[in-house]
Amino acid sequence: MQWLKIRLLIILLCCCEAYALERDMRVLTSPEFEGRPSGADKPHRSAHYITRQFEKYGLDVHFQHFEFEYGFFDSASGHNVVATQACQRAQCHHPIVITAHYDHLGTRGSRHYPGANDNASGVAVMIDIARQLQGVNIARDIIYVATDAEEKGLHGAKAFVKELGEQQVYININLDMLDLQKKNRLYALASRTLKPFEAQIEETFMATPVKFRLFFSAKIMARRLAAPQVDWLRASDHYPFHRADIPFIYFGAGMDKNHHSVNDSLDKINFEKLTQVSNAITKFVLTLVSEPDNASTTS
């Protein structure tokens, strides 16, 4: 009888996790959120929604306003949502920064671009990581950044990195397009400086249901994914961190035939697999923030 209660509890918890992910994605992809257009004078309603979710888990949240230029003559404002789970120990290590861009293509005429995989999936998983790590005794700050204006040139990530100044960051974890496709595989591109930790990174994912493939070369990744036209190093918000010599790992599911189309919609998302992806990445994040109290604070 006891084993049946435990099994029912596990099923209930899994359903709650999937529900939280689906709820956030359903809201972010709804017509009322207008396809989450990039850049505006005031934070978009999607930024306010993300803020409320982070606040539910006790994080300190603020908007980071920035200005950016695109094209030859156009300029605009953007707003990152920055949420911090603070290390409460006497000595803390350098923080990690988790990024996922919340902007998408907006609405063009009568055409609504939901941006479910790109990148409501990354934002929902980032929020879910914060939910799972709520109350954990972490050894370094976790800074969650929902970036704006990624679609117009990675401007939100560039603004955040610029504002870091001399502050040291242990690693950037970037989440972009996490819905597992036909190959049913989660891909990761990591800084070459992380090559010595390859076995440790892969071991973390071996104990999860997620099929995982790690690369340290964008060219090799493009070749293995049969996408020679994509420069995976420059394709998303991890690139400004790379330019600032901050180690990064970018997680994604590879090419999506519905990318930047009105068909990138909620009905295409496999929430069971997305939950597995969220749990696997959360487990990896936990390995980065769980050093013992007496560990060195130099990294």
Side-chain angles (χ1 to χ4, degrees):
M1 191 66 179
Q2 185 66 23
W3 70 268
L4 181 58
K5 291 181 179 179
I6 294 173
R7 183 172 177 81
L8 289 173
L9 179 60
I10 292 172
I11 292 173
L12 179 62
L13 289 172
C14 291
C15 290
C16 289
E17 291 173 12
Y19 169 75
L21 285 166
E22 184 171 358
R23 176 204 62 208
D24 290 337
M25 290 193 62
R26 187 171 297 279
V27 172
L28 291 170
T29 59
S30 65
E32 291 75 18
F33 276 56
E34 308 162 316
R36 308 186 307 279
S38 297
D41 292 336
K42 297 180 179 179
H44 189 262
R45 65 183 64 184
S46 52
H48 287 287
Y49 177 81
I50 295 164
T51 296
R52 291 194 298 272
Q53 303 318 301
F54 281 137
E55 288 176 340
K56 286 198 309 187
Y57 305 125
L59 275 61
D60 180 25
V61 191
H62 70 274
F63 291 127
Q64 179 192 16
H65 174 88
F66 60 91
E67 304 286 337
F68 66 95
E69 297 180 356
Y70 63 97
F72 290 105
F73 306 107
D74 294 322
S75 62
S77 300
H79 302 84
N80 294 333
V81 181
V82 182
T84 302
Q85 180 178 352
C87 168
Q88 300 295 332
R89 301 186 184 187
Q91 293 182 312
C92 297
H93 297 257
H94 298 149
I96 67 171
V97 177
I98 303 176
T99 50
H101 75 91
Y102 69 89
D103 67 306
H104 192 55
L105 303 183
T107 300
R108 301 176 180 180
S110 61
R111 296 171 69 83
H112 171 237
Y113 292 81
N117 192 21
D118 182 22
N119 183 36
S121 64
V123 174
V125 167
M126 181 168 62
I127 294 171
D128 192 54
I129 293 171
R131 180 190 64 81
Q132 294 192 58
L133 296 183
Q134 183 183 18
V136 174
N137 181 21
I138 55 177
R140 59 177 89 243
D141 288 358
I142 304 175
I143 305 173
Y144 301 89
V145 187
T147 59
D148 193 5
E150 189 268 358
E151 297 286 2
K152 292 186 175 178
L154 316 182
H155 293 291
K158 290 175 182 176
F160 180 82
V161 170
K162 183 177 180 180
E163 192 169 289
L164 281 174
E166 298 300 317
Q167 181 183 0
Q168 292 184 297
V169 171
Y170 183 61
I171 194 172
N172 165 238
I173 297 172
N174 185 38
L175 312 175
D176 197 349
M177 297 176 61
L178 294 174
D179 181 48
L180 298 188
Q181 303 298 309
K182 287 184 177 180
K183 291 186 177 180
N184 199 31
R185 190 178 298 275
L186 178 67
Y187 298 100
L189 176 66
S191 300
R192 294 181 187 274
T193 54
L194 298 178
K195 183 71 172 174
F197 305 100
E198 180 177 9
Q200 294 170 248
I201 296 170
E202 291 185 334
E203 183 180 0
T204 303
F205 287 89
M206 284 176 60
T208 71
V210 174
K211 297 179 181 179
F212 179 68
R213 183 65 188 273
L214 177 63
F215 297 93
F216 295 94
S217 164
K219 291 183 179 180
I220 294 176
M221 181 172 174
R223 187 163 63 246
R224 295 292 174 84
L225 271 63
Q229 75 280 13
V230 180
D231 184 345
W232 295 101
L233 178 61
R234 293 172 172 81
S236 188
D237 281 333
H238 51 281
Y239 184 58
F241 290 88
H242 167 73
R243 289 290 303 273
D245 293 323
I246 297 171
F248 73 87
I249 298 183
Y250 153 62
F251 291 101
M255 299 296 293
D256 184 348
K257 65 179 181 180
N258 298 312
H259 181 239
H260 283 189
S261 79
V262 296
N263 295 319
D264 182 9
S265 51
L266 196 70
D267 60 299
K268 308 295 194 306
I269 303 297
N270 185 317
F271 285 101
E272 179 182 357
K273 291 182 180 179
L274 190 63
T275 299
Q276 293 175 356
V277 167
S278 183
N279 291 342
I281 296 176
T282 300
K283 180 181 178 182
F284 173 67
V285 172
L286 195 57
T287 67
L288 302 177
V289 299
S290 298
E291 289 90 343
D293 288 312
N294 60 355
S296 168
T297 59
T298 59
S299 62

